[in-house]
Every structure is written in C-alpha cells, then in structure tokens.
Amino acid sequence: MTQADSSTAIPRSALLEMPQGALGSRHIILLFALLFAVWHILTNVYLTEPGLWQNAIHFAGFAFLASVTISPWGKRAHTKWAWIADIIYGLLVAAAALWVAWAETGLYERSLAVTGQGWQFTLVDWAAGLLLIFACIDLSRRVSGWVIPILILLSLSYILFLGTMLPGVFRSASLPFNDVLFRTLYNDEGMFGILGSISVTNITLFMIFGGFLVVSGASNFVIEASKVVAGRIKGGAAFVAVLSSALTGTISGSAIANTASTGVITIPLMKSNGFRAKFAAGVEAASSTGGQLMPPIMGAGAFVMASYTSIPYGTIVTVSIIPALLYFLSVAFIVRIEAMKYDAGTDIDLTVDRGKMLSGGLVFILPLTVMIWMLMSGVTPAYAACWAIVSLILTSWATSLLAKFTNNGMFKPVNMGPTQIVDAMTTGIRSAIMTAILLTAIGIMNNAIVTSGVGNSFSLMIAQWSQGSLALAIVLIGLASLVLGMGLPVTAAYIILAILTAPALAGLMADAVIVEQLMVGISDPAKSGLFFLVDHPLALQVASGMSKAEAWELVRNIPFEIAVTIRPVMVDPTLQTTYLLTAHLIIFWLSQDSNVTPPVCLAAFTAAAIAKSKPMATGFESWKIAKGLYIVPLLFAYTPLISGNFAEVMQIGFFALFGIYATNALIQWYAEGPIGIVTVPMLILGAIGAYWPLAWMQNIGGAALVIAVIVLSSRARRSNPPVKVEEAMA
C-alpha cells in the first residue's frame, strides 16, 4: 500500500508493464532509467552543470518516469492509446523543465531592457511554466493522493489573491501573476531550488545505493544476523523483526517499503512463535518506522535537515545514534513484556544460514563502513554514496571470487554482473520517483510560504497558543504532524512542519536562556535597551533583575517581530544552532507518527495485510508499541541528549532505558510478571527518577525502583502463570 492508493492513479509495476505490442517501448524506458541513474552518479562526481540545469534535468527525468509508470486512466491504463498519451505528456513536461532552465538568461535580458514592467515572459515561457505547475499538481496527486495538490493550489492562491481576504496575522499582499511564476520557477525556495538540489545530490543517490544493497543480497544478512542475536532470547522472532527493521532502515529509507520487505518474513515468524497477529504486525510497523530514524541514512529527512539548518550531515547523524537506539530498545522492551505476559516466543527454529550471512554481511558492512568513514571525513553525502556503490560492486566481485576458489559452500554471494547492476540502478530510480516529484512540488509551497511570510505568522500562532510552554508547543506540533501525515509521506510532512514551526520551537528554547539573564539583570546597555521596544511595565526592570515568574511574563509579551531581533543578541550563536537542531529533530521524530497512528497509518495497514489482522486494531497496537516517538522528543527538549558531552549523553541514555521500560510496563499493565497496587506507584516514581536529567541521586533511585519491580513481578509470575495467546483468544 502507498499513498497513491487513495487516488485514481494506477501503477505500471516495476517500469515494465506495458500494453501489448509495446515491448520496444518497455526496453526504451528501462534504458532511460538506467542512463538516468548513471547521470545522477556522474553529475555528483564529475559533471559541473549549473544548479538550475541540474535540478531541471532531474525533474524532467522523474516527471517522464512518473508519467509512464503511474497512469491516471484507471482500468484503461494498459491500453495502447493511454500508454501513448502518457509518453507524450511525460515528454512535454520534461521539455518544459529543460526550456525553463535554457530560457533564464533571455528572461533576465528582456526584463532588464524593459524596466518597471515586471518579468517579460514569452508565450513559450508562459506555456512551459504553467505546464510545470500543472505537472507538479498532477504527478504529486498520482504518487501521494490529493493533499499536496490542494496545498499547492491554496499556497498559490494565497500569494495571488487569497492573502488580501484573510484577517489578522495571516493577511498578505497579493503579487502579480508573472512575479509569482518567476519566483516559483527561479527562486532558491521554488521548484528548482533548495529542495530540488537535496533530491538530486543526496536522496536519489542513496536510493540507488539502497537498490544495490537489495540486489546484492545484503537483506539476507539482515535477517540471518538478526537470528544470531535474537535466536536464544525469549520472543526471539519478534526481536528478529526489531533488529532486521533497524538494519533494513539503512537500506530502504521508507517505513512502508521496510514493512513490506522484512514483514513477509518476520510477521509469519512471530505468529508461529506464539505472538498475537495484531501484535506481530504492530511490532513490524513500529520497527520499520524506526528505520527512518536509524543512521546513517535516516530516510530523506536528514538531508533536508542538513540543508535547512546548515548543520553538517555528519553531525546530525552522530547525535541521532543514541536516540535511535533508545527507540529500538523501547520496542524491544515491549516485545519482552508481551512475551512474558502471554508466554510467547518459545519452541521455534531460528536456524541461521551462515552462507547467506557471510556473503550478505560483506556487501552490507563494507560499503556502509566506506560511506560512514567518508561522511565523517567531511565529504558530501553524494560523493560518499557514489563511492559506497563502487565499493559494494567490488566487494561482491571479491566475494564471488572467494566462493569460486574455496568451493566449499560457505559463501552464497550474488555476483554483481551487468544484469544485477542494471537491476540495482533501475530499482533505485524507481524507488526515488515519489520523493523527487514531491520535493519539486513542495518547492511551490515553500516559495509561497517564504514570499508571503506566513511561516512567521504560523510560528507566532504556535508561540501564542503555547503561552511559552515548550511541552504544549510540542503537543501542538505533534497534532499538526498527525493531521498532515494522514495524507502526506513523512518526509513531506516534516518539510512543511519544519518550515512552519521550527523557528517557533527553537525560539521557545532560546527564551529559557533569556529568562535566566533577566532574573539576574542585564547591565549591558546595548542588550537591555532592546527590551525598551517591548510595551510592558516589566521592561523597566531589565537592568535590575526580576523574579522567574516576572521574567517569563515579560518574555511571553515580547512581540514575535521583536523577539527575532532580541534572541540573536541575547543567546550565544552555538546555543542557537543547538536549539535549531533540537527543534528540527523533534519535528522530524513527530512526523514519523503518521506511519503508526490511526486513522491513517500506512505502515501499520501494510503489516496488517501481511498478518491478516484487523487494520484499525493493528494501527492502535503499533501506536502503543511506538511510544518512543513521543518519549525521545521530550528528552530532546528537556535534557542535553543532543548538546551534552559524551558522559552526559551516556547518563541520560542509560537511565532513560529504565524510564522507558517502566512506561511500557504501565502501558501493558505487565512487567516480568503481573503488576499491582504496590508495584504501579513504584513504576511511576521509578520512571520520573530515571527520566530526571543529569541527577545521579534521582536516576539511581529511579533505576533501583524499576529493578525492584522487575524482581517482584518475576516472583508474581511464578505464582500466577501467564495465559497463552490461544487461551486468551478463546
């Protein structure tokens, strides 16, 4: 299941399904996809096209592929005339994208020659520009449903005429149509701007690398290695799902693809291991969602985050390691509790195929090691991905030679010959179609948001509604992410939320620093003078100091347009960067919840189809299991999990595990055994102490209480044996 399921678009599977008599066209499309993949590698390593040309070629190719692989014709999609119409449409859109890049110089020359009359588009320029906007609306509808097209139309209407009709902070001046078209096509925030660059230089290359990992047999290593780790643990089949989804997340970058690829193996394995069907599906959906959070790829969000924050990609990946581990351990804890509660996870064969593990391990570990080493050394992600692909091909050849010379059956490699390389490249290009189309389409909205300033208005609204409360702001953003995620892929939801709410969230964190300075008094006239811009009596006490309550009252009454002037002066630039990164990570994590949260939770529905469980019940189960999506962002906000030194991060992460276990035990109403009137308060107090940031006494006390509950509940289990799933369902 994909987001496109909600639309009338019909996929022509694997770039191959053509009408009768179109075999030649099929081969041409495959050849084009292969050459397009090669171009993506070359343009990031050797070629030096201008950014506009690079992004235009990128969209032109993917628009053509989207046109011929996802048809809007319903049941008539595979007729010859529909196929011809889609090819012509795709070629026209591709030609329009290339024309826009070629026409830029002439547009500037004509507009400079006739000053004061706006941008001088020719008739062909107008036709190409309008066709591109229409294509973004149409193709985004084909790949993800109606939400993005509606938002595009609203954003264009907002800067054309709708903004003049709205009241208050959302009122905006209208722009001439030719100005809107120019900004949409040529601005850095537009169709062929920043987001397009992210797609062409990073995301598509990592999708191609993922295609190589899949074709090379690296997924075999994921499953077999997970069996080694989990084979001797109670509930081992479910732990296989958690581990394999964590590792597969480095390949797919998609929760739904992750669920579909590993779920066909892990869900039946969990069911045969005694787990409830909806729980098995929920574990797979929650674990696959975590694959989006797993370094080094982290879906597409990490690349977008690096571009928006100007924080190095390596830094984002590094600070995300401990949070990702906390998430997967939170899922593992709930698996353990379920296994103990229903006496599941025994008497199953988890025999390891060592040949698949050894062969797949080499093509999984070595290329990823090369990529991570290059990322840490400071090269661009695109360059690192290209060399990771080369190292994977060389590794597969070396493994094949080793298998040939040893001839003992120990290695079962996939030799990456020409056929496999073509398959890997076309697989990667196919998986990148949706992201490439959506990032270009979202560029239209991004331009409208930046041009109109509505992002600042939305940030002001979040700041006003939250009343300075960081927790309330996170709740509001979480609700917004859930609503957006019902109709958008998580990357698209993250981008929109980051544009609209990241400044407000980072500002709220910076306000805490300003409050501390106001409490002791600000003697520097250059700084204290800024507060005289605030129309509030407490502004007169800035130099002498005030109570904490008074400081917060003053800060909450600073207008947004003045706050953005005061914060850079009052808060250290390094801290501002930390708060910006923290805000983006919170939004990024919250944007994942739509995969597992009803009513629209596509990863959970995909898992339910495999498990043959009820979709909505599976959605609620996956939502319970994925509670780490909410716990870890709160740790981002209220502890130095991102900004602390190594010892601080380890302390927070280690004791948070006890808090997470206690939280899951309370949700499941079970620990190592049943919990009751004595152990529940112990779990609550233990969780509070374990979560308390950088407080050794509270942390140790909280951990001790949780351990005590584990011991007591284990004893209670021996005297009150659990009910097996079959008996519970009877």
Side-chain angles (χ1 to χ4, degrees):
M1 179 182 289
T2 67
Q3 280 87 344
D5 293 340
S6 61
S7 71
T8 57
I10 303 296
R12 295 187 175 106
S13 60
L15 304 180
L16 297 177
E17 195 170 327
M18 314 286 171
Q20 292 182 353
L23 189 60
S25 298
R26 161 190 168 179
H27 290 152
I28 291 172
I29 300 302
L30 280 173
L31 178 61
F32 173 78
L34 173 63
L35 294 176
F36 197 42
V38 172
W39 174 79
H40 274 91
I41 295 173
L42 294 178
T43 193
N44 284 287
V45 179
Y46 297 111
L47 303 180
T48 57
E49 303 105 324
L52 177 61
W53 270 104
Q54 189 183 51
N55 295 350
I57 294 170
H58 172 73
F59 178 71
F62 276 115
F64 175 72
L65 289 174
S67 299
V68 298
T69 58
I70 309 173
S71 176
W73 303 108
K75 295 180 180 179
R76 296 170 291 178
H78 303 300
T79 60
K80 190 172 183 178
W81 68 265
W83 176 251
I84 293 173
D86 285 337
I87 289 179
I88 293 173
Y89 173 60
L91 290 173
L92 286 174
V93 174
L98 299 178
W99 175 269
V100 165
W102 182 83
E104 182 186 27
T105 302
L107 173 63
Y108 283 131
E109 291 174 350
R110 290 191 303 275
S111 301
L112 286 173
V114 187
T115 57
Q117 297 185 25
W119 299 103
Q120 300 298 304
F121 290 105
T122 66
L123 184 61
V124 178
D125 293 339
W126 277 106
L130 293 175
L131 177 58
L132 286 176
I133 294 174
F134 173 81
C136 283
I137 294 171
D138 173 53
L139 296 178
S140 61
R141 178 194 63 83
R142 297 193 194 187
V143 301
S144 68
W146 278 103
V147 175
I148 289 285
I150 291 171
L151 290 176
I152 290 174
L153 291 172
L154 285 175
S155 62
L156 288 174
S157 300
Y158 184 76
I159 56 177
L160 282 170
F161 63 88
L162 193 60
T164 60
M165 304 177 184
L166 297 179
V169 295
F170 291 104
R171 187 175 182 84
S172 174
S174 61
L175 296 175
F177 195 27
N178 62 344
D179 193 22
V180 171
L181 183 63
F182 173 82
R183 291 169 182 266
T184 300
L185 297 177
Y186 294 109
N187 267 13
D188 285 342
E189 296 81 14
M191 287 178 58
F192 301 135
I194 297 169
L195 294 177
S197 296
I198 295 169
S199 183
V200 69
T201 58
N202 292 327
I203 295 174
T204 303
L205 278 178
F206 277 88
M207 294 290 192
I208 294 171
F209 177 53
F212 273 92
L213 285 172
V214 170
V215 173
S216 67
S219 56
N220 293 331
F221 162 76
V222 168
I223 298 295
E224 301 305 321
S226 300
K227 290 180 182 179
V228 171
V229 177
R232 298 183 180 274
I233 304 174
K234 186 176 179 65
F239 287 109
V240 168
V242 176
L243 291 169
S244 61
S245 294
L247 294 173
T248 306
T250 64
I251 300 175
S252 67
S254 165
I256 299 169
N258 200 341
T259 301
S261 60
T262 61
V264 293
I265 299 172
T266 60
I267 291 175
L269 196 62
M270 282 186 276
K271 289 175 66 179
S272 64
N273 204 196
F275 288 98
R276 296 173 295 156
K278 67 178 182 180
F279 183 83
V283 167
E284 179 56 46
S287 301
S288 295
T289 297
Q292 299 274 279
L293 310 170
M294 191 69 184
I297 295 179
M298 297 171 63
F303 306 120
V304 179
M305 199 182 303
S307 297
Y308 266 94
T309 62
S310 298
I311 296 171
Y313 176 82
T315 301
I316 295 171
V317 167
T318 301
V319 301
S320 297
I321 294 173
I322 297 300
L325 291 176
L326 288 177
Y327 177 81
F328 281 104
L329 286 170
S330 75
V331 178
F333 286 156
I334 211 163
V335 165
R336 169 70 180 183
I337 293 170
E338 176 82 4
M340 299 303 292
K341 186 175 183 179
Y342 292 107
D343 199 22
T346 56
D347 303 325
I348 189 167
D349 181 19
L350 289 177
T351 304
V352 176
D353 188 327
R354 298 189 181 278
K356 287 183 177 180
M357 188 175 72
L358 288 172
S359 305
L362 291 173
V363 293
F364 183 86
I365 294 172
L366 291 180
L368 277 179
T369 301
V370 168
M371 184 177 69
I372 293 170
W373 175 77
M374 296 189 76
L375 285 172
M376 295 300 106
S377 66
V379 304
T380 64
Y383 196 77
C386 290
W387 279 106
I389 292 170
V390 172
S391 67
L392 186 148
I393 295 172
L394 295 177
T395 301
S396 76
W397 291 349
T399 307
S400 298
L401 287 174
L402 187 61
K404 182 178 180 181
F405 285 118
T406 56
N407 196 28
N408 58 7
M410 180 179 293
F411 291 94
K412 299 178 181 178
V414 175
N415 184 19
M416 295 297 290
T419 302
Q420 288 74 23
I421 291 174
V422 169
D423 190 17
M425 286 192 167
T426 53
T427 297
I429 287 294
R430 184 170 64 250
S431 64
I433 290 175
M434 182 179 75
T435 305
I437 295 297
L438 289 182
L439 287 183
T440 304
I442 291 172
I444 300 176
M445 291 183 283
N446 187 27
N447 172 71
I449 290 169
V450 173
T451 298
S452 64
V454 71
N456 290 338
S457 300
F458 199 88
S459 292
L460 175 60
M461 184 179 70
I462 291 288
Q464 289 177 338
W465 285 5
S466 64
Q467 290 294 300
S469 169
L470 187 58
L472 185 55
I474 291 173
V475 169
L476 292 172
I477 293 170
L479 291 173
S481 73
L482 181 58
V483 172
L484 280 176
M486 290 179 187
L488 295 180
V490 291
T491 302
Y494 159 67
I495 292 170
I496 294 172
L497 278 173
I499 295 170
L500 293 174
T501 65
L505 198 56
L508 285 174
M509 287 182 271
D511 286 345
V513 177
I514 298 174
V515 165
E516 291 178 1
Q517 297 180 57
L518 289 172
M519 289 170 62
V520 298
I522 302 172
S523 57
D524 185 350
K527 293 181 178 181
S528 60
L530 293 171
F531 289 87
F532 292 128
L533 299 171
V534 183
D535 185 17
H536 195 279
L538 287 171
L540 300 175
Q541 298 178 218
V542 168
S544 59
M546 59 189 74
S547 68
K548 187 174 183 178
E550 289 173 332
W552 273 114
E553 183 181 351
L554 176 59
V555 167
R556 290 187 185 113
N557 281 277
I558 299 175
F560 182 80
E561 62 274 11
I562 298 177
V564 296
T565 303
I566 292 176
R567 285 169 185 152
V569 177
M570 301 297 298
V571 183
D572 181 77
T574 304
L575 267 181
Q576 291 184 57
T577 301
T578 299
Y579 294 147
L580 184 62
L581 175 58
T582 302
H584 275 266
L585 282 172
I586 290 171
I587 295 166
F588 179 60
W589 275 64
L590 292 176
S591 67
Q592 310 298 320
D593 68 346
S594 59
N595 278 317
V596 292
T597 306
V600 179
C601 39
L602 297 180
F605 290 167
T606 303
I610 299 171
K612 296 181 174 57
S613 59
K614 293 180 179 179
M616 200 57 66
T618 301
F620 281 107
E621 195 73 24
S622 64
W623 177 69
K624 284 168 53 181
I625 296 168
K627 278 296 171 287
L629 289 177
Y630 311 105
I631 295 172
V632 175
L634 289 173
L635 293 176
F636 289 153
Y638 290 103
T639 74
L641 185 61
I642 298 300
S643 58
N645 57 42
F646 180 78
E648 291 173 337
V649 171
M650 289 298 102
Q651 180 183 347
I652 293 167
F654 175 75
F655 286 106
L657 292 176
F658 292 92
I660 290 170
Y661 181 90
T663 303
N664 284 334
L666 290 167
I667 291 170
Q668 293 293 86
W669 207 250
Y670 206 88
E672 291 298 292
I675 58 177
I677 192 169
V678 174
T679 49
V680 167
M682 293 172 65
L683 283 172
I684 294 172
L685 292 174
I688 293 172
Y691 287 135
W692 206 281
L694 300 179
W696 282 105
M697 292 295 293
Q698 290 90 330
N699 292 163
I700 294 171
L705 285 172
V706 175
I707 292 172
V709 171
I710 291 173
V711 173
L712 292 173
S713 62
S714 181
R715 291 176 180 174
R717 184 177 185 272
R718 286 197 291 270
S719 60
N720 186 17
V723 178
K724 287 185 175 290
V725 171
E726 295 83 359
E727 299 172 15
M729 298 295 290

